[in-house]
Amino acid sequence: MTTSDQRVPRVEPVDGSVLGDEAAATDHELLAQAQLRVDLAIDVTSALTGSLNLRRTVLRLLDLITPRMADWAMLVLVGEAGGLTLHGGADPTYTSGVPRVFIEGTGLDRVLRSGQDELLHVAVELDSTGALETMIPDPRLRDEAIGLRPADVLCVALSARGSTIGALVMIRGAGRGFPEQEVEFAGLIADQASLALDSARLYEERGRIASVLQASLRPPALPTIPGARVSARFRPAAEHLEISGDFYDVHGSDGDWLLVLGDVCGKGVEAAVLTGRARQGVRTAAHFDRRPSAVLGALNNVLCDNDSTRFVTVVCARFRPSPDGTHADVDVAVAGHPAPIVVRADGGVDQVEVAGIAAGVVRDVDYTEVAFRITSGDTMLMFTDGVDEARGSDGFYGMDRLLALLPAYAGAGPVALCEAVEQSVVEYLDGRAHDDIALLAVSCER
């Protein structure tokens, strides 16, 4: 094995489609080789720029390299846990995993540790299995490489943001090799590929983090409340990486329940963190004082103690149904959130008259609390601004449209009411983008 400062150029003719040696080439052949390099560099840049799908980027790179630059190629990527993922070979879609410990002391290990390229000259008349093991740790891929009767094995480091993220192993079969100029050119291609692969990996990692966070914030299963029925709907905004900030929660026992619906200002990871903090803050506060005004006051002070400039709007209702389901006593407080609507069994619709500043803006707020009673057949609807601020062709969906919709569903119960509101908003949007839509409804049940 030789390192990069020991590479010996080989003398081979140019076949017109594959990059080759320049030592014995005519001026015309040299010009053709130079043009091939330019074309390949342009193709690599064009094909990989903007590709944010890691697997697609890998396949594109392997497809460009073979056979124009090498007879056979394998891409090695270092994983988060230190393991290696191998891609390529005769079948570009082939993938296998190798623990990092398996390559300790090999040529591939040196390339990954040092970031320096290595060129392996293989004596074709001898058994090359042992030599290739130092660069190709997968038996299937190694057998393929042996079948090519390799002349040179070039392992080029892939580096980005100051670290080696992988390596590109390329083989030229018997009768050809990697002259010095080709090794230098391979380094340029590797630099371009490194940026594309690193960008794709970062994008996929961001997506994975977003998915994990989103899963942790998924609305909880609703509990069964004796003497009542409760239902909820949640329709997140469509953007893949935009983590939603709407949340709802229902918790309690022994005829004393707390229903909470909130909306965190903004989206993304910071909003997701605040959403989790707000939901847990409400639960913690309710253990000490179940009055909605006290819960929101505690939540407000907790959020004001944080450095975040974001705020949270919340509607909090204490719901105490009678055991026979004939009625329930409700106390409601809001923090910058739309007040709930009560749909009476007779078709009457009232929006609770209660207001309060959003949580996380000013410390020591005294939230107003309103008490009322709902009876059998009545339903209380809580909603986020994804409903009334849904924008269709005629502007916002609006409160007037919502209040006009609800009487038709008097006595239908919380499930039907939530479905009707969601369907109405979706039809009004007519395919347009929307914010998160969250609904929470509860009614008495005999």
Side-chain angles (χ1 to χ4, degrees):
M1 180 180 301
T2 62
T3 54
S4 56
D5 59 351
Q6 297 173 298
R7 292 165 191 158
V8 180
R10 291 179 61 85
V11 179
E12 297 293 342
V14 176
D15 65 4
S17 61
V18 179
L19 296 173
D21 182 37
E22 298 179 344
T26 64
D27 290 344
H28 176 74
E29 289 170 336
L30 289 173
L31 183 61
Q33 288 181 8
Q35 187 59 52
L36 286 172
R37 292 193 189 96
V38 171
D39 292 344
L40 180 55
I42 292 174
D43 289 346
V44 168
T45 301
S46 175
L48 301 188
T49 299
S51 176
L52 295 177
N53 181 288
L54 181 59
R55 179 168 174 75
R56 191 176 305 135
T57 303
V58 169
L59 292 175
R60 285 177 178 176
L61 178 61
L62 292 171
D63 182 62
L64 289 166
I65 288 175
T66 53
R68 298 166 70 180
M69 195 169 176
D71 298 323
W72 185 94
M74 176 188 76
L75 187 65
V76 182
L77 292 177
V78 180
E80 286 185 356
L84 306 177
T85 303
L86 313 181
H87 301 270
D91 177 7
T93 64
Y94 176 72
T95 301
S96 67
V98 177
R100 185 66 180 261
V101 66
F102 280 19
I103 68 164
E104 285 186 358
T106 67
L108 178 59
D109 186 38
R110 286 194 297 275
V111 171
L112 294 176
R113 290 183 183 279
S114 67
Q116 299 296 315
D117 307 338
E118 288 203 9
L119 180 62
L120 175 69
H121 293 298
V122 180
V124 296
E125 68 276 9
L126 301 176
D127 180 8
S128 56
T129 303
L132 290 175
E133 282 181 348
T134 193
M135 289 295 185
I136 307 173
D138 180 276
R140 167 176 162 169
L141 296 174
R142 191 162 55 247
D143 289 344
E144 292 177 2
I146 292 171
L148 293 172
R149 293 176 56 80
D152 277 0
V153 181
L154 176 61
C155 186
V156 184
L158 300 172
S159 300
R161 294 182 293 127
S163 63
T164 303
I165 63 171
L168 180 60
V169 179
M170 295 177 287
I171 286 180
R172 285 186 173 177
R176 299 193 306 125
F178 283 99
E180 185 175 353
Q181 297 89 341
E182 295 301 320
V183 173
E184 293 176 358
F185 179 69
L188 295 176
I189 295 298
D191 289 343
Q192 291 179 285
S194 298
L195 294 176
L197 291 167
D198 188 52
S199 296
R201 293 209 316 178
L202 287 175
Y203 186 80
E204 289 200 353
E205 177 63 13
R206 182 186 172 194
R208 190 186 67 80
I209 293 172
S211 297
V212 171
L213 279 173
Q214 191 75 68
S216 70
L217 298 173
R218 193 167 295 152
L222 296 175
T224 299
I225 300 179
R229 285 189 296 162
V230 61
S231 180
R233 307 287 287 189
F234 180 66
R235 179 181 285 265
E239 290 79 3
H240 173 57
L241 295 178
E242 292 296 340
I243 304 171
S244 64
D246 285 8
F247 67 95
Y248 62 78
D249 205 355
V250 179
H251 46 89
S253 62
D254 299 330
D256 191 350
W257 298 83
L258 211 64
L259 289 79
V260 181
L261 183 72
D263 183 2
V264 171
C265 169
K267 293 185 181 300
V269 173
E270 187 178 350
V273 171
L274 192 56
T275 299
R277 185 176 296 156
R279 193 161 66 185
Q280 189 57 44
V282 168
R283 280 187 172 247
T284 303
H287 277 288
F288 299 95
D289 192 336
R290 299 187 63 79
R291 292 175 300 146
S293 58
V295 170
L296 294 184
L299 174 66
N300 175 64
N301 286 342
V302 168
L303 296 180
C304 284
D305 287 339
N306 294 313
D307 294 332
S308 174
T309 58
R310 296 174 186 266
F311 57 86
V312 182
T313 70
V314 186
V315 52
C316 181
R318 189 179 188 183
F319 185 80
R320 288 171 288 181
S322 62
D324 60 2
T326 58
H327 68 276
D329 292 318
V330 186
D331 303 316
V332 170
V334 301
H337 199 90
I341 297 173
V342 178
V343 183
R344 300 293 180 184
D346 62 1
V349 174
D350 302 307
Q351 187 165 22
V352 180
E353 294 186 0
V354 62
I357 189 171
V361 178
V362 181
R363 283 190 61 86
D364 299 326
V365 174
D366 292 326
Y367 286 97
T368 302
E369 195 170 292
V370 173
F372 56 94
R373 172 170 288 191
I374 63 173
T375 56
S376 179
D378 297 345
T379 300
M380 181 178 71
L381 174 68
M382 306 158 79
F383 57 97
T384 58
D385 60 8
V387 173
D388 57 305
E389 295 185 3
R391 186 179 288 274
S393 60
D394 296 330
F396 289 127
Y397 183 85
M399 284 301 300
D400 290 343
R401 197 182 308 270
L402 178 59
L403 294 172
L405 170 74
L406 296 178
Y409 296 92
V415 175
L417 194 64
C418 287
E419 289 180 350
V421 173
E422 181 187 23
Q423 184 64 29
S424 177
V425 173
V426 170
E427 290 177 357
Y428 183 75
L429 287 165
D430 194 23
R432 293 174 176 81
H434 63 86
D435 198 357
D436 304 322
I437 297 172
L439 299 158
L440 181 60
V442 62
S443 66
C444 301
E445 183 180 58
R446 289 182 183 274

Coordinates of all heavy atoms in Angstrom, one line a residue, residues 171-233:
I171 N -12.5 1.5 -7.8 CA -11.6 0.5 -8.3 C -11.5 0.6 -9.8 O -12.5 0.9 -10.5 CB -12.1 -0.9 -8.0 CG1 -11.8 -1.2 -6.5 CG2 -11.5 -2.0 -8.8 CD1 -12.3 -2.5 -6.0
R172 N -10.3 0.5 -10.4 CA -10.2 0.3 -11.8 C -9.5 -1.0 -12.0 O -8.6 -1.4 -11.3 CB -9.3 1.4 -12.4 CG -10.0 2.8 -12.5 CD -9.2 3.8 -13.1 NE -10.0 5.0 -13.4 CZ -9.5 6.1 -13.9 NH1 -8.2 6.2 -14.3 NH2 -10.3 7.2 -14.1
G173 N -10.1 -1.8 -13.0 CA -9.7 -3.1 -13.2 C -8.3 -3.3 -13.9 O -7.6 -2.3 -14.1
A174 N -8.0 -4.5 -14.1 CA -6.7 -4.8 -14.7 C -6.5 -4.1 -16.0 O -7.4 -4.0 -16.8 CB -6.6 -6.3 -14.9
G175 N -5.3 -3.5 -16.2 CA -5.0 -2.8 -17.4 C -5.2 -1.3 -17.3 O -4.8 -0.5 -18.2
R176 N -5.7 -0.9 -16.2 CA -5.9 0.6 -15.9 C -5.5 0.9 -14.5 O -5.4 0.0 -13.7 CB -7.3 1.0 -16.2 CG -7.7 0.8 -17.7 CD -9.0 1.5 -18.0 NE -10.1 1.3 -17.1 CZ -10.8 2.2 -16.4 NH1 -10.4 3.4 -16.6 NH2 -11.8 1.9 -15.7
G177 N -5.4 2.1 -14.2 CA -5.1 2.5 -12.8 C -5.4 3.9 -12.6 O -6.0 4.6 -13.4
F178 N -5.1 4.4 -11.4 CA -5.3 5.8 -11.1 C -4.0 6.6 -11.1 O -3.2 6.6 -10.2 CB -5.9 6.0 -9.7 CG -7.4 5.6 -9.6 CD1 -7.8 4.3 -9.1 CD2 -8.4 6.5 -10.0 CE1 -9.1 4.0 -9.1 CE2 -9.7 6.1 -9.9 CZ -10.1 4.9 -9.5
P179 N -3.8 7.3 -12.2 CA -2.6 8.2 -12.3 C -2.8 9.4 -11.3 O -3.9 9.7 -10.8 CB -2.5 8.6 -13.7 CG -3.9 8.5 -14.2 CD -4.5 7.4 -13.5
E180 N -1.7 10.1 -11.1 CA -1.8 11.2 -10.1 C -2.8 12.2 -10.4 O -3.5 12.7 -9.6 CB -0.4 11.9 -10.1 CG -0.3 13.0 -9.0 CD 1.1 13.5 -8.9 OE1 2.0 13.0 -9.6 OE2 1.3 14.5 -8.2
Q181 N -3.0 12.6 -11.8 CA -4.0 13.6 -12.1 C -5.4 13.1 -11.8 O -6.3 13.9 -11.4 CB -3.9 13.9 -13.6 CG -2.6 14.5 -14.1 CD -1.6 13.4 -14.4 OE1 -1.7 12.2 -14.1 NE2 -0.6 13.8 -15.2
E182 N -5.6 11.8 -11.9 CA -7.0 11.3 -11.6 C -7.2 11.2 -10.1 O -8.3 11.4 -9.7 CB -7.1 9.8 -12.2 CG -7.0 9.8 -13.7 CD -8.2 10.6 -14.3 OE1 -9.3 10.6 -13.8 OE2 -7.9 11.3 -15.3
V183 N -6.2 11.0 -9.4 CA -6.3 11.0 -7.9 C -6.7 12.4 -7.4 O -7.6 12.6 -6.6 CB -5.0 10.6 -7.2 CG1 -5.1 10.8 -5.7 CG2 -4.7 9.1 -7.5
E184 N -6.0 13.4 -8.0 CA -6.4 14.8 -7.7 C -7.8 15.2 -8.1 O -8.5 15.8 -7.3 CB -5.4 15.8 -8.3 CG -4.0 15.6 -7.8 CD -3.0 16.5 -8.6 OE1 -3.4 17.2 -9.5 OE2 -1.8 16.5 -8.2
F185 N -8.2 14.7 -9.3 CA -9.5 15.0 -9.7 C -10.6 14.3 -8.8 O -11.6 14.8 -8.5 CB -9.7 14.6 -11.2 CG -11.1 14.8 -11.7 CD1 -11.6 16.1 -11.9 CD2 -11.9 13.7 -12.0 CE1 -12.8 16.3 -12.4 CE2 -13.2 13.9 -12.5 CZ -13.6 15.2 -12.7
A186 N -10.2 13.1 -8.4 CA -11.1 12.3 -7.5 C -11.3 13.1 -6.2 O -12.4 13.1 -5.6 CB -10.6 11.0 -7.2
G187 N -10.3 13.8 -5.8 CA -10.4 14.6 -4.6 C -11.4 15.8 -4.8 O -12.2 16.1 -3.8
L188 N -11.4 16.4 -5.9 CA -12.3 17.5 -6.2 C -13.7 17.0 -6.2 O -14.7 17.6 -5.7 CB -12.0 18.1 -7.6 CG -10.6 18.8 -7.6 CD1 -10.3 19.3 -9.1 CD2 -10.6 20.0 -6.6
I189 N -13.9 15.8 -6.9 CA -15.3 15.2 -6.9 C -15.7 14.9 -5.5 O -16.9 15.1 -5.1 CB -15.3 14.0 -7.8 CG1 -15.0 14.4 -9.2 CG2 -16.6 13.3 -7.7 CD1 -16.0 15.3 -9.8
A190 N -14.8 14.4 -4.7 CA -15.2 14.0 -3.3 C -15.6 15.2 -2.5 O -16.5 15.2 -1.7 CB -14.0 13.3 -2.6
D191 N -14.9 16.4 -2.7 CA -15.3 17.6 -2.0 C -16.7 18.0 -2.3 O -17.5 18.4 -1.5 CB -14.3 18.7 -2.4 CG -12.9 18.5 -1.8 OD1 -12.8 17.7 -0.8 OD2 -11.9 19.1 -2.3
Q192 N -17.0 17.9 -3.6 CA -18.4 18.3 -4.0 C -19.4 17.3 -3.4 O -20.5 17.7 -2.9 CB -18.5 18.3 -5.5 CG -17.8 19.4 -6.2 CD -17.9 19.3 -7.7 OE1 -17.3 18.5 -8.4 NE2 -18.7 20.2 -8.3
A193 N -19.1 16.0 -3.5 CA -20.0 15.0 -2.9 C -20.2 15.2 -1.4 O -21.3 15.0 -0.9 CB -19.5 13.6 -3.3
S194 N -19.1 15.5 -0.7 CA -19.1 15.7 0.7 C -20.1 16.7 1.1 O -20.9 16.5 2.1 CB -17.8 16.0 1.3 OG -16.8 15.0 1.0
L195 N -20.1 17.8 0.5 CA -21.1 18.9 0.8 C -22.5 18.5 0.6 O -23.4 18.7 1.4 CB -20.8 20.2 0.0 CG -19.4 20.8 0.2 CD1 -19.2 22.0 -0.7 CD2 -19.4 21.4 1.7
A196 N -22.8 17.8 -0.5 CA -24.1 17.3 -0.8 C -24.6 16.3 0.2 O -25.7 16.3 0.7 CB -24.2 16.8 -2.3
L197 N -23.7 15.3 0.5 CA -24.1 14.2 1.4 C -24.3 14.8 2.8 O -25.2 14.4 3.5 CB -23.0 13.2 1.4 CG -22.8 12.3 0.1 CD1 -21.5 11.6 0.2 CD2 -24.0 11.4 0.0
D198 N -23.4 15.7 3.2 CA -23.6 16.3 4.6 C -24.9 17.1 4.7 O -25.6 17.0 5.7 CB -22.4 17.2 4.8 CG -22.3 17.7 6.3 OD1 -22.4 16.8 7.2 OD2 -22.2 18.9 6.5
S199 N -25.2 17.9 3.6 CA -26.4 18.6 3.6 C -27.6 17.7 3.7 O -28.6 17.9 4.5 CB -26.5 19.5 2.4 OG -25.5 20.5 2.4
A200 N -27.6 16.6 2.9 CA -28.7 15.7 2.9 C -28.9 15.0 4.3 O -30.0 14.8 4.8 CB -28.5 14.6 1.9
R201 N -27.7 14.7 4.9 CA -27.8 14.0 6.2 C -28.3 15.0 7.3 O -29.1 14.6 8.1 CB -26.4 13.6 6.7 CG -25.9 12.4 5.8 CD -24.9 11.5 6.5 NE -23.9 12.2 7.3 CZ -23.0 11.5 8.0 NH1 -23.1 10.2 8.0 NH2 -22.1 12.1 8.8
L202 N -27.9 16.3 7.2 CA -28.4 17.2 8.2 C -29.9 17.4 8.0 O -30.7 17.6 9.0 CB -27.7 18.6 8.0 CG -26.3 18.6 8.5 CD1 -25.6 20.0 8.1 CD2 -26.2 18.4 10.0
Y203 N -30.4 17.5 6.7 CA -31.8 17.7 6.5 C -32.6 16.5 7.0 O -33.7 16.7 7.7 CB -32.0 17.8 5.0 CG -33.5 18.2 4.7 CD1 -33.9 19.5 4.8 CD2 -34.4 17.2 4.2 CE1 -35.2 19.8 4.5 CE2 -35.7 17.5 3.9 CZ -36.1 18.8 4.0 OH -37.4 19.1 3.7
E204 N -32.1 15.3 6.8 CA -32.8 14.1 7.3 C -32.8 14.1 8.8 O -33.8 13.7 9.4 CB -32.2 12.9 6.7 CG -32.5 12.7 5.2 CD -32.3 11.3 4.7 OE1 -31.9 10.4 5.5 OE2 -32.7 11.0 3.5
E205 N -31.7 14.5 9.4 CA -31.6 14.5 10.8 C -32.6 15.5 11.4 O -33.2 15.2 12.4 CB -30.2 14.8 11.3 CG -30.0 15.0 12.8 CD -30.3 13.7 13.5 OE1 -30.4 12.6 12.9 OE2 -30.4 13.7 14.8
R206 N -32.7 16.6 10.8 CA -33.7 17.7 11.2 C -35.1 17.1 11.1 O -35.9 17.3 12.0 CB -33.5 18.9 10.4 CG -34.5 20.0 10.8 CD -34.4 21.2 9.9 NE -35.4 22.2 10.2 CZ -35.8 23.2 9.4 NH1 -35.2 23.3 8.2 NH2 -36.7 24.0 9.7
G207 N -35.4 16.4 10.0 CA -36.7 15.8 9.9 C -37.0 14.8 10.9 O -38.1 14.7 11.5
R208 N -35.9 14.0 11.3 CA -36.1 13.0 12.3 C -36.4 13.6 13.7 O -37.3 13.1 14.4 CB -34.9 12.1 12.4 CG -35.0 10.8 13.2 CD -33.7 10.1 13.4 NE -32.8 10.8 14.1 CZ -32.7 10.9 15.5 NH1 -33.7 10.3 16.2 NH2 -31.8 11.6 16.1
I209 N -35.6 14.6 14.0 CA -35.8 15.3 15.3 C -37.2 15.9 15.3 O -38.0 15.8 16.4 CB -34.8 16.4 15.5 CG1 -33.4 15.8 15.6 CG2 -35.1 17.3 16.7 CD1 -32.3 16.8 15.7
A210 N -37.7 16.5 14.2 CA -39.0 17.1 14.2 C -40.1 16.0 14.4 O -41.1 16.2 15.1 CB -39.2 17.8 12.8
S211 N -39.9 14.8 13.8 CA -40.8 13.8 13.9 C -40.9 13.3 15.3 O -42.0 13.0 15.8 CB -40.5 12.6 12.9 OG -40.5 13.0 11.6
V212 N -39.7 13.1 16.0 CA -39.7 12.7 17.3 C -40.4 13.7 18.3 O -41.2 13.3 19.1 CB -38.3 12.5 17.8 CG1 -38.2 12.2 19.3 CG2 -37.6 11.3 17.0
L213 N -40.1 15.0 18.1 CA -40.8 16.0 18.9 C -42.3 16.0 18.6 O -43.1 16.1 19.6 CB -40.2 17.4 18.5 CG -38.9 17.7 19.2 CD1 -38.3 19.0 18.7 CD2 -39.0 17.8 20.7
Q214 N -42.6 15.9 17.3 CA -44.1 15.9 17.0 C -44.8 14.7 17.7 O -45.9 14.9 18.2 CB -44.2 15.8 15.5 CG -45.7 16.1 15.0 CD -46.0 17.5 15.1 OE1 -45.5 18.3 14.4 NE2 -46.9 17.9 16.0
A215 N -44.1 13.6 17.7 CA -44.7 12.4 18.3 C -44.9 12.6 19.8 O -45.9 12.2 20.4 CB -43.9 11.2 18.0
S216 N -43.9 13.2 20.4 CA -44.0 13.5 21.9 C -45.1 14.4 22.2 O -45.6 14.5 23.3 CB -42.7 14.0 22.4 OG -42.4 15.3 22.0
L217 N -45.5 15.3 21.2 CA -46.6 16.3 21.5 C -47.9 15.9 20.9 O -48.9 16.6 20.9 CB -46.1 17.6 20.8 CG -44.9 18.2 21.3 CD1 -44.5 19.4 20.5 CD2 -45.0 18.6 22.8
R218 N -48.0 14.6 20.4 CA -49.3 14.2 19.9 C -50.4 14.3 20.9 O -50.1 13.9 22.1 CB -49.1 12.7 19.4 CG -50.2 12.2 18.5 CD -49.8 11.0 17.8 NE -48.6 11.2 16.9 CZ -47.7 10.3 16.6 NH1 -47.8 9.1 17.2 NH2 -46.8 10.6 15.8
P219 N -51.5 14.7 20.5 CA -52.6 14.8 21.5 C -52.9 13.5 22.2 O -52.8 12.4 21.6 CB -53.8 15.2 20.6 CG -53.2 15.9 19.5 CD -51.9 15.2 19.2
P220 N -53.1 13.6 23.5 CA -53.3 12.4 24.3 C -54.7 11.7 24.1 O -55.6 12.4 23.6 CB -53.2 12.9 25.7 CG -53.7 14.3 25.7 CD -53.2 14.8 24.3
A221 N -54.8 10.5 24.4 CA -56.1 9.8 24.4 C -57.0 10.5 25.4 O -56.5 10.7 26.5 CB -55.9 8.3 24.6
L222 N -58.2 10.7 25.1 CA -59.1 11.3 26.0 C -59.7 10.3 27.0 O -60.0 9.2 26.7 CB -60.3 11.9 25.2 CG -60.0 13.0 24.2 CD1 -61.2 13.5 23.4 CD2 -59.4 14.2 25.0
P223 N -59.8 10.7 28.3 CA -60.3 9.8 29.3 C -61.8 9.7 29.2 O -62.5 10.5 28.6 CB -59.9 10.5 30.6 CG -59.9 12.0 30.2 CD -59.4 12.1 28.8
T224 N -62.3 8.7 29.8 CA -63.8 8.5 30.0 C -64.2 9.3 31.2 O -63.7 9.1 32.3 CB -64.1 7.1 30.1 OG1 -63.7 6.4 28.9 CG2 -65.6 6.9 30.3
I225 N -65.2 10.2 31.0 CA -65.7 11.0 32.1 C -67.1 10.6 32.4 O -68.0 10.7 31.6 CB -65.7 12.5 31.7 CG1 -64.3 13.0 31.4 CG2 -66.3 13.4 32.9 CD1 -64.2 14.5 31.0
P226 N -67.3 10.0 33.6 CA -68.7 9.6 34.0 C -69.6 10.8 34.0 O -69.3 11.8 34.5 CB -68.5 9.1 35.4 CG -67.0 8.7 35.5 CD -66.3 9.7 34.7
G227 N -70.8 10.5 33.3 CA -71.8 11.6 33.2 C -71.5 12.6 32.2 O -72.2 13.7 32.1
A228 N -70.6 12.3 31.3 CA -70.3 13.3 30.2 C -69.7 12.6 29.0 O -69.2 11.5 29.1 CB -69.3 14.4 30.8
R229 N -69.7 13.3 27.9 CA -69.0 12.8 26.7 C -68.1 13.9 26.2 O -68.4 15.1 26.3 CB -70.0 12.5 25.6 CG -70.8 11.3 25.8 CD -71.6 10.9 24.6 NE -72.6 11.9 24.3 CZ -73.3 12.0 23.1 NH1 -72.9 11.2 22.1 NH2 -74.2 12.9 23.0
V230 N -66.9 13.5 25.8 CA -65.9 14.5 25.4 C -65.3 14.0 24.1 O -65.1 12.8 23.8 CB -64.8 14.7 26.5 CG1 -64.1 13.3 26.7 CG2 -63.8 15.7 26.1
S231 N -65.0 15.0 23.2 CA -64.4 14.7 21.9 C -63.4 15.8 21.5 O -63.5 16.9 22.0 CB -65.5 14.5 20.9 OG -65.0 14.2 19.6
A232 N -62.5 15.4 20.7 CA -61.5 16.4 20.2 C -61.1 16.1 18.8 O -61.2 15.0 18.3 CB -60.2 16.4 21.1
R233 N -60.7 17.1 18.1 CA -60.2 17.0 16.7 C -58.9 17.8 16.6 O -58.8 18.9 17.2 CB -61.2 17.5 15.7 CG -62.6 16.9 15.8 CD -62.6 15.5 15.3 NE -62.5 15.4 13.9 CZ -62.7 14.2 13.2 NH1 -63.0 13.1 13.9 NH2 -62.6 14.2 11.9

